[in-house]
Amino acid sequence: MTVDLNADAGESFGPWKLGHDEELFGLLTSVNLACGFHAGDPLTLRQAIRLAQYRGVAVGAHPGYPDRVGFGRRHLEASPEEVYADTLYQIGALAAFLRVEGLPLHHLKPHGALYNRAARDAEIARAIAQAVRDYDPTTPLVGMGGSALETEGRALGLRVVLEAFPERGYTAQGLLAPRGMPGAVIQDPAEAARRAVQMVLEGWIETVDGHEVALRAETLCIHGDHPNAPQIARHIRAALEAEGITCQTF
């Protein structure tokens, strides 16, 4: 059995540093790099791509809302047409740097509030999926199982890779719990590792309100801005490998 281990990264901006890219990349199999809208800048993007290349980690695009102040975690009233254009624009920014370094675009995964909206809004999900398809229909789209993003991506003929979050809490609807809710963010690396193994082997997880929700985990996400991200990644990888699960790029 195999599973991909990804992280959101490349989120620093100028002298302002965020995340633990240098520590994390050696523990991962893929990364989702900010493309300049919610975080990141051109030099950070270039450096993150080169670090990923050095570590042998696959590089995906991580487009978000144009919201640096809110780190892309605030909902914006963007139309499907705007979301399509913003997504394609951000793909293009990353793809230019990848081309120079001789690397392919491995996948696309929306960021933050855009990801959450695409999980439940079919029009927004279709706009994102259409941008991916128009750029390159062979590029995989990463999203949660049962989401509108999965449905619309598959309807357009894309490969959809299903993602789970061992260091985030879930609601009974199978969506990520809002960050202000108790239990929404898992701080303990050992607990995150336990949840990762359960997600992969058993296909379900406990929700923040004590229910159970089924899920499929083809890739597991670690948020790069989590204060304990490197420790969480180490615990998760060790726990998975102890169960005979190989961490491998999808």
Side-chain angles (χ1 to χ4, degrees), residues 23-244:
E23 294 178 77
L24 269 178
F25 281 28
L27 301 166
L28 306 172
T29 52
S30 69
V31 291
N32 322 300
L33 297 186
C35 302
F37 269 33
H38 76 275
D41 59 55
L43 183 57
T44 295
L45 188 57
R46 186 185 189 200
Q47 291 170 339
I49 288 170
R50 289 182 166 182
L51 179 61
Q53 184 177 38
Y54 174 72
R55 291 293 190 180
V57 179
V59 176
H62 198 39
Y65 282 131
D67 178 26
R68 288 189 184 278
V69 174
F71 195 62
R73 288 180 176 156
R74 300 183 296 187
H75 173 69
L76 298 184
E77 288 295 341
S79 69
E81 292 78 13
E82 289 173 310
V83 169
Y84 171 89
D86 285 353
T87 301
L88 191 59
Y89 185 96
Q90 291 174 83
I91 292 172
L94 176 61
F97 285 99
L98 289 173
R99 180 176 179 180
V100 169
E101 300 299 333
L103 297 176
L105 176 65
H106 182 259
H107 64 275
L108 181 139
K109 170 191 163 182
H111 166 80
L114 184 60
Y115 184 99
N116 292 332
R117 186 176 177 191
R120 60 183 185 273
D121 186 324
E123 288 190 328
I124 294 301
R126 190 177 309 119
I128 294 170
Q130 189 67 55
V132 175
R133 187 180 186 277
D134 288 350
Y135 173 76
D136 182 351
T138 69
T139 300
L141 180 62
V142 175
M144 289 191 292
S147 66
L149 191 63
E150 179 191 8
T151 300
E152 298 301 324
R154 295 196 193 282
L156 287 174
L158 298 176
R159 177 186 177 188
V160 180
V161 177
L162 301 183
E163 182 176 43
F165 297 80
E167 35 84 286
R168 287 296 315 278
Y170 282 77
T171 68
Q173 293 73 39
L175 301 174
L176 295 182
R179 286 179 173 268
M181 182 181 292
V185 179
I186 310 302
Q187 303 291 349
D188 180 12
E191 173 62 10
R194 182 195 70 79
R195 292 165 64 85
V197 171
Q198 183 176 336
M199 288 171 166
V200 176
L201 290 184
E202 301 179 27
W204 65 278
I205 199 66
E206 306 94 341
T207 66
V208 293
D209 54 0
H211 293 85
E212 297 177 359
V213 64
L215 51 79
R216 281 185 59 199
E218 297 176 275
T219 182
L220 298 173
C221 176
I222 298 166
H223 285 87
D225 66 312
H226 195 298
N228 296 332
Q231 295 92 326
I232 288 174
R234 289 190 192 95
H235 276 72
I236 287 177
R237 184 145 192 168
L240 292 170
E241 292 175 348
E243 294 292 336

